[in-house]
Amino acid sequence: MDADLIQLLLNGLSLGAVYALFALGYTLVFSVLGVINFAHGAVFTLGAYFTYLLIGGQVGANGLLSGLRLPFSLPFVLALPLAGLGSALVALLIERVAFRPLRQRGADSLLALISSLGAGVILVNLIQLLMGAESFAIPTGTLGALPVALSIGGARVRTVQVLLLAIAALLLVLLSVWLEGSRSGKALQAVSEDPVTAQLLGIDSDGMIRLAFGVSGFLAGVSGGLVGLSVSIAGPYFGISYGLKALGVLVLGGLGSVPGAVLGGLIIGLAEAFVPAEWSGWKDAVAYGFLFLILLLRPQGLLGRPLGTKV
Amino acid sequence: MDAGLLVQMLIGALLGLSVYLPLYCGQLSLATPGFFAIGGTVAALLSTRVPAFAGTGATSPLPALLLEMALAGLLAGLLALAIGGTVLRLRGIYLAIATIALVEILRVFNLNLPFTGGALGIFGIPQPFDSTTGYAGFSLALLAVVCWLCARLEQLRLGRAMAAIRDDELAAASVGIDTARVKLTAFVLSALLAGLTGALAAHFLNSWNAKLGSFDASITTLAFVVFGGSRTWLGPVIGGLALTALPELLRPVGDLRLIVFGLVILLGPVLFPQGLITPQLLQRLGHGCSVVGQGFSGAGRRLRGRLSGVRRP
């Protein structure tokens, strides 16, 4: 196979895997609450910054914490899951502040969309205030003994991308196994099917909603850390564009469908990778173009259930 | 108060009304900034490239502004008409996501088309008014007219059909309301309003770029309506005025201002799930509001009287 083609495929797959992880975070919350958590992009950003700090990165010059660094530095394999846990805690806090009060009042789900966005605005600007607006790169030496580049089928590819793809694939498999095979995963599905009935059957609906937020925050944090490693952290707002494209992924695959999110992520990641360089300005339109097409042709998404109308 | 801030607030109120129109019939469309961007781009292009609109040097004639606003509104409305039929078949969150996608696609076009100035945009848009005060007066008049039209709309058959669709689309359809047509009308009106507001904003801001119609703007304009309330035209007006002023009024707290803004957006829905201005609130305020209402409809009667040449008491 052509070396360039391998490179493009790998670019597309790793980008697609990140989109899929991102979209799964949306999916988990959407399936239990029926709303999009617009703070998800900010949690992703936060995961990247946590990772950067945990591996011993230094805060930039124009934040309040300017020049600060943690007194220790962890290897990347430890920093990434810890950053994921930190992000999960923040996601739980968002659930507590932006979602739960509205749910308890039985308010319109549209309102949670706004309040979650408020939470996102606060997080992004808090990061900017503390860490400054500059971009950070995670140093290449982070991966320890691993070589910087590998040779696959004659193509030299960056180890980081292979790693990113592997971790994302592992997480996707773990998530599916958990959802389909475990008691708590099935309970989560029951709540997404019908929260009241699930409650009557002895499932702690509120607990499951918290679980969905926690797992979704973890996924966002980890994918933020991975993207920070493979590309760079392009400032406090960098999660937002990923978050918007992941909406495209979500709709392409079918809202609420886990395999759909993975399929949608891979399709959009690959499609973006194959946009020729001279057209790179139009790359951002790919995800939205797909989104528009699928909504017109098959509104329930590739793998979603048909949208019924309830009378 | 600074006249520049006042103009921004008035533009915010107009955009709030643009989001409110589809929402009044239950359709969550976030497309307003996309149509706003179209309007701004049309006005920026016309007034910097077409001699008939450009006037002399840094000033341009007022009729040119009016014509640009009409053209911008027309173009935005036509686009809404073209895509509305298909997009409005989507419901709830799907419609919201599709309209976010529309805004982003338009933004990418604006960034990449050869004649829209790329990321930097278009500069040196000529000024139809000598001072910011002129803009403030003009925007205030425009807002008053649009408010009057919206207040009238709520009383008209169309407005009642819109409210009926919001409350129960199936029931509305079953009593003979052409729901698709009503929704499309609301969507087109919303686009038209956003488009002509964009044309005004382009002149006021003096330059125009793709950033002005982005996802951030979608959310900010939606926040106007959620914050102010979507059950009556006064809600988005108050929401637009207040939330546009807020970040500016918070300037003294410096770097914290966007965080405080975020807090307001976060807590607004929690504390006022119906928005600040609800029909119930208006009823409770009763007397004061009916005076305002009579003022509006009285003005309408007089205007119609003048148009038909008959003066009524």
Side-chain angles (χ1 to χ4, degrees):
Chain A
M1 207 159 42
D2 186 33
D4 284 349
L5 189 63
I6 295 181
Q7 181 66 53
L8 276 181
L9 270 178
L10 195 70
N11 282 347
L13 285 176
S14 53
L15 187 63
V18 171
Y19 285 154
L21 278 183
F22 207 116
L24 277 174
Y26 277 137
T27 300
L28 282 173
V29 171
F30 182 83
S31 61
V32 289
L33 288 182
V35 301
I36 301 279
N37 172 15
F38 268 120
H40 198 57
V43 177
F44 169 92
T45 313
L46 205 59
Y49 278 89
F50 280 157
T51 313
Y52 174 76
L53 286 177
L54 284 172
I55 59 166
Q58 189 173 22
V59 177
N62 61 25
L64 277 185
L65 301 177
S66 150
L68 187 101
R69 66 165 77 221
L70 293 178
F72 54 88
S73 69
L74 298 174
F76 187 75
V77 280
L78 272 180
L80 190 66
L82 277 180
L85 284 179
S87 308
L89 287 179
V90 175
L92 286 176
L93 182 69
I94 292 172
E95 192 273 332
R96 179 73 191 77
V97 181
F99 286 84
R100 200 184 306 171
L102 289 168
R103 196 166 68 242
Q104 280 166 349
R105 290 174 174 215
D108 191 343
S109 60
L110 161 68
L111 292 171
L113 194 145
I114 300 289
S115 57
S116 69
L117 206 99
V121 170
I122 296 174
L123 274 183
V124 166
N125 286 289
L126 211 55
I127 294 175
Q128 176 151 347
L129 187 67
L130 296 177
M131 303 274 298
E134 61 253 74
S135 61
F136 298 98
I138 293 182
T140 41
T142 312
L143 294 175
L146 289 177
V148 177
L150 299 171
S151 176
I152 300 177
R156 278 183 71 73
V157 295
R158 294 167 63 216
T159 314
V160 172
Q161 276 189 317
V162 180
L163 196 70
L164 191 157
L165 190 58
I167 296 179
L170 178 73
L171 282 173
L172 293 175
V173 170
L174 282 179
L175 192 72
S176 320
V177 170
W178 171 61
L179 277 175
E180 296 300 327
S182 76
R183 208 178 151 78
S184 58
K186 285 183 175 158
L188 191 75
Q189 290 192 38
V191 174
S192 73
E193 198 75 30
D194 185 340
V196 177
T197 312
Q199 187 103 43
L200 287 175
L201 291 172
I203 296 172
D204 173 11
S205 281
D206 275 342
M208 285 300 139
I209 290 170
R210 278 196 297 276
L211 187 64
F213 269 91
V215 175
S216 134
F218 181 82
L219 292 177
V222 168
S223 38
L226 286 172
V227 172
L229 176 70
S230 82
V231 192
S232 70
I233 305 173
Y237 286 90
F238 96 119
I240 292 181
S241 69
Y242 279 92
L244 281 181
K245 282 190 196 160
L247 283 180
V249 169
L250 200 62
V251 174
L252 179 61
L255 271 180
S257 156
V258 173
V262 176
L263 182 67
L266 294 180
I267 290 178
I268 290 185
L270 284 171
E272 282 193 0
F274 280 92
V275 172
E278 62 268 32
W279 289 88
S280 65
W282 297 90
K283 198 180 260 188
D284 282 349
V286 170
Y288 307 114
F290 265 114
L291 196 163
F292 232 79
L293 265 183
I294 197 82
L295 282 177
L296 300 184
L297 301 175
R298 193 180 154 84
Q300 73 269 35
L302 292 174
L303 300 180
R305 287 186 229 170
L307 312 170
T309 343
K310 283 183 189 163
V311 180
Chain B
M1 187 173 35
D2 174 21
L5 177 58
L6 182 63
V7 179
Q8 285 180 31
M9 290 164 63
L10 294 166
I11 288 174
L14 287 165
L15 291 179
L17 284 170
S18 164
V19 180
Y20 147 87
L21 283 167
L23 204 54
Y24 192 68
C25 67
Q27 310 303 306
L28 173 55
S29 159
L30 298 175
T32 289
F35 296 121
F36 178 68
I38 288 180
T41 310
V42 166
L45 284 174
L46 284 177
S47 61
T48 54
R49 311 277 159 87
V50 183
F53 288 91
T56 51
T59 59
S60 65
L62 186 60
L65 172 68
L66 295 175
L67 191 57
E68 280 164 26
M69 287 170 62
L71 286 175
L74 193 69
L75 190 67
L78 281 177
L79 178 66
L81 192 64
I83 59 167
T86 29
V87 171
L88 288 167
R89 283 191 315 209
L90 303 167
R91 278 159 219 279
I93 196 79
Y94 285 87
L95 178 63
I97 294 177
T99 49
I100 291 176
L102 175 71
V103 172
E104 289 294 311
I105 290 173
L106 288 171
R107 187 179 62 85
V108 173
F109 267 88
N110 205 342
L111 270 177
N112 289 289
L113 285 177
F115 50 85
T116 49
L120 292 174
I122 298 168
F123 288 95
I125 300 173
Q127 299 297 305
F129 301 106
D130 299 336
S131 65
T132 327
T133 325
Y135 277 107
F138 184 81
S139 315
L140 194 63
L142 179 65
L143 180 64
V145 171
V146 174
C147 283
W148 176 74
L149 288 173
C150 288
R152 281 294 296 152
L153 180 70
E154 287 175 17
Q155 310 299 322
L156 290 177
R157 199 185 162 80
L158 176 63
R160 290 174 195 272
M162 284 163 66
I165 292 174
R166 177 192 65 207
D167 290 338
D168 190 335
E169 189 169 340
L170 273 176
S174 70
V175 295
I177 294 174
D178 185 347
T179 56
R181 196 189 168 97
V182 171
K183 288 195 287 188
L184 185 61
T185 312
F187 189 59
V188 171
L189 287 175
S190 155
L192 200 147
L193 179 56
L196 65 89
T197 307
L200 175 64
H203 282 277
F204 170 64
L205 295 173
N206 194 24
S207 69
W208 194 260
N209 62 51
K211 248 190 182 168
L212 289 158
S214 64
F215 172 68
D216 290 1
S218 289
I219 295 308
T220 320
T221 46
L222 178 60
F224 295 165
V225 182
V226 172
F227 194 75
S230 64
R231 290 293 174 123
T232 159
W233 59 271
L234 192 56
V237 173
I238 302 285
L241 293 173
L243 288 189
T244 317
L246 189 66
E248 297 304 316
L249 298 181
L250 287 174
R251 254 187 213 290
V253 297
D255 292 338
L256 281 174
R257 76 191 171 106
L258 282 171
I259 295 177
V260 178
F261 185 65
L263 264 177
V264 170
I265 299 181
L266 169 66
L267 294 178
V270 177
L271 300 177
F272 305 103
Q274 298 267 320
L276 281 178
I277 313 290
T278 58
Q280 291 81 0
L281 177 76
L282 293 184
Q283 258 167 20
R284 233 180 301 146
L285 294 174
H287 183 66
C289 286
S290 72
V291 171
V292 176
Q294 274 168 12
F296 269 116
S297 59
R301 260 202 309 278
R302 283 193 295 280
L303 186 68
R304 272 202 306 279
R306 218 164 289 158
L307 287 175
S308 59
V310 183
R311 264 196 172 274
R312 280 186 234 178

